[in-house]
Amino acid sequence: MTERKDDRLWGGRFDQAPDARFDAFQRSFAFDRRLLPYELAVDRAWAKALQNVGILTDVEVRDTVAALDRIAAELNADPSFLNGSTAEDVHHFIESALVHELGALGWKLHTGRSRNELVATDFRLFVMDAAASLQRALSAFLNALLQQAQSNLGVPMAGMTHMQHAQPILLSHFLLAHAEAFSRDITRLEHAAASADACPMGSGALAGNSFGIDRDAIARDLGFSRITANSIDAVGDRDFALDYLFALTGIATHLSRLAEDFVIFASQEFGYVILSDEYSTGSSLMPQKKNPDSFELIRGKTGRITGALIGLLTTLKGLPTSYQRDLQEDKEGLFAAHDQVADMLSIATGAVATTKFNVERLRAAASNAMLFATDAADYLVHRGLSTVPRSKAPSRPRPYPGERRRNQSVPQSPNCKTASPN
Ligand code: ARG
C-alpha cells in the first residue's frame, strides 16, 4: 500500500506549508493509530448512512466498503506499514488509503462529517472495549483472592487499626475486605462503559448534520445503545474518558493498598506471607534478600494512573465549549493508564495466587491475649455490667432526642441496666 503525498485533510486556504517542527508537534498518528479498528467500523457505518440519504450510490458504497476491507486486511497482514506512514492522524490515514484505492471516490466518504465527531466516536468505542477487557482481568484477579480466602478458611490473624493489634479476625475475612473493594471497581467500570455508550456521529464539527442521516441507525451499526443529545457538547465532551480514568484510579488505588499490606506482611517483623520466587527479586549486594518488588511496583505505578486522571481534568478545565484541539491530549494518558492497569492486574493475580500464608505466624499473633480485651468487656456487659459508671449515670432518665411528650419516663435499654452483683 502506498500513500499519496501532500494530501492533507485541510489546507485549501493556506499559502504556506506548516513549520516542520510545528507540523510534527501537532500530529497524532503515532498514538491515535490505536483507534484504526474503530475508525474503519465508523467508516463502514457512515458509508451506509450516506447511501440511505442518496449521497453515495449502491455501487459507490459497495466499492468503498470493499476498499475498507482491503485496507483492514492489508493492515492485519503487515502492521509495520503504519510505521512508515506520513499521515497526520488516524482519520487522514484512512482517507489517504481510500483515495489511493478508489481515486476521487475515496474523498466522498467524508461528506457531511468532521474529524471532531469521528475522534469522539472512535474514542468512546475504545473505552467501551477497554472497560470490558478490564472487567475480565479484574474478575480473574478477584478469583485469585477468593481462592486464597477459601484455601485458608479458619486461619486466624491479628486484625489491626492504626497498625496496632486490635481484635482477632480471620484471614479469609481480611482477604474478602480487599475483594469487596475490587467488586466496587467492577461497578465503576460498568459506569464508565455506560457513560461512553452514546454515539456522536451526526454532530458534525459542532452544529449537526444537514443531510438528514439516520443517527440511530449508525449508533446501532456501531453497537451503541443511544445517540448523544447535543452536538456542541458531543464534540467537546470527554466525561466518559474521565469516568474511565477514575475507574482505573480506583483499581490502581485498591491494588496499591493491597500491595502495601503484602509488602508489610512479607517483612521479617511480620512474616505473615511468603512471596513466591516468581514474583520476587534479589539484591545485587545482599545475598539473603528476597524483595517484594512485584507488589512494590504495583504500588509505585499507581502514581502514573492518578497522574493521567489529574492530567485530563487539568486539560479540560477552562476549555471553551465544543471541540478544541487541546482535546487531542485526551488519548495518550488514557491509553497508557489502561495498559498499565491491565499489566498491574495480571501481575497482582499471579503474585497473590502464588503467595503462601505463614499460618503459624498468623496464629501466634492472633493468640496475644490483649486482642481479646474487647471480647472480655463485651462479655461483662452481656453478664449485666453497666457501660455507664454508676457515678456518671443520670439521676433521672433523659428524654430521647426529639421526644415530644414531656415528663414521661423513658425505658432504659437493657445494655444500660445497672449491674446486679451476682
Ligand atoms: N487529532 C484530533 C484529536 O485527536 C482530531 C482532529 C480534529 N482536528 C481538528 N483540527 N478539528 O482530537
Side-chain angles (χ1 to χ4, degrees), residues 70 87 340-341 416:
R70 281 197 301 280
Q340 198 62 247
V341 171
C416 291

Side-chain angles (χ1 to χ4, degrees), residues 28 89 91 115-116 119 323 328 331:
S28 54
D89 57 24
H91 324 291
R115 286 183 292 168
N116 300 353
V119 77
Y323 183 84
Q328 181 169 297
K331 284 173 277 302

Side-chain angles (χ1 to χ4, degrees), residues 132-148:
S133 89
L134 274 203
Q135 277 193 44
R136 290 190 290 276
L138 200 45
S139 302
F141 173 67
L142 267 171
N143 223 25
L145 268 182
L146 298 185
Q147 285 284 331
Q148 285 286 17

Side-chain angles (χ1 to χ4, degrees), residues 59-293:
V59 172
E60 286 174 332
V61 171
R62 193 197 59 204
D63 290 350
T64 302
V65 171
L68 289 169
D69 290 346
R70 281 197 301 280
I71 294 165
E74 275 191 70
L75 287 173
N76 277 339
D78 182 16
S80 68
F81 169 73
L82 295 175
N83 300 336
S85 171
T86 55
E88 176 179 323
D89 57 24
V90 61
H91 324 291
H92 182 209
F93 177 84
I94 299 283
E95 175 154 299
S96 299
L98 270 182
V99 171
H100 174 73
E101 295 276 326
L102 302 172
L105 173 59
W107 278 305
K108 220 171 162 185
L109 185 63
H110 204 54
T111 307
R113 71 179 193 181
S114 156
R115 286 183 292 168
N116 300 353
E117 59 186 332
L118 273 175
V119 77
T121 308
D122 294 353
F123 201 27
R124 282 170 177 269
L125 288 168
F126 174 87
V127 166
M128 285 158 72
D129 274 357
S133 89
L134 274 203
Q135 277 193 44
R136 290 190 290 276
L138 200 45
S139 302
F141 173 67
L142 267 171
N143 223 25
L145 268 182
L146 298 185
Q147 285 284 331
Q148 285 286 17
Q150 185 141 42
S151 322
N152 289 286
L153 278 181
V155 174
M157 69 185 285
M160 291 181 287
T161 59
H162 311 268
M163 286 304 286
Q164 303 291 313
H165 282 195
Q167 287 186 285
I169 57 172
L170 290 172
L171 173 58
S172 53
H173 190 178
F174 174 82
L175 292 171
L176 291 177
H178 282 294
E180 197 69 17
F182 289 104
S183 62
R184 288 193 292 274
D185 291 326
I186 294 206
T187 311
R188 282 201 193 95
L189 285 173
E190 283 165 0
H191 172 74
S195 164
D197 182 11
C199 183
M201 289 311 292
S203 300
L206 83 162
N209 177 289
S210 65
F211 295 98
I213 54 143
D214 183 347
R215 294 192 60 209
D216 290 303
I218 301 176
R220 264 197 314 278
D221 275 0
L222 291 171
F224 286 105
S225 60
R226 63 198 165 99
I227 58 173
T228 51
N230 179 306
S231 62
I232 304 169
D233 175 58
V235 294
D237 165 31
R238 293 295 182 273
D239 286 0
F240 62 94
L242 287 178
D243 286 340
Y244 188 53
L245 284 168
F246 186 65
L248 294 181
T249 309
I251 298 168
T253 302
H254 292 145
L255 282 174
S256 185
R257 290 185 75 171
L258 175 133
E260 170 73 352
D261 281 344
F262 276 60
V263 168
I264 291 174
F265 290 173
S267 68
Q268 282 68 36
E269 283 69 21
F270 277 83
Y272 288 178
V273 297
I274 302 140
L275 304 183
S276 69
D277 285 0
E278 294 156 277
Y279 290 94
S280 309
T281 64
S283 159
S284 59
L285 180 75
M286 300 159 284
Q288 86 286 5
K289 294 285 294 297
K290 181 162 109 177
N291 298 327
D293 289 24

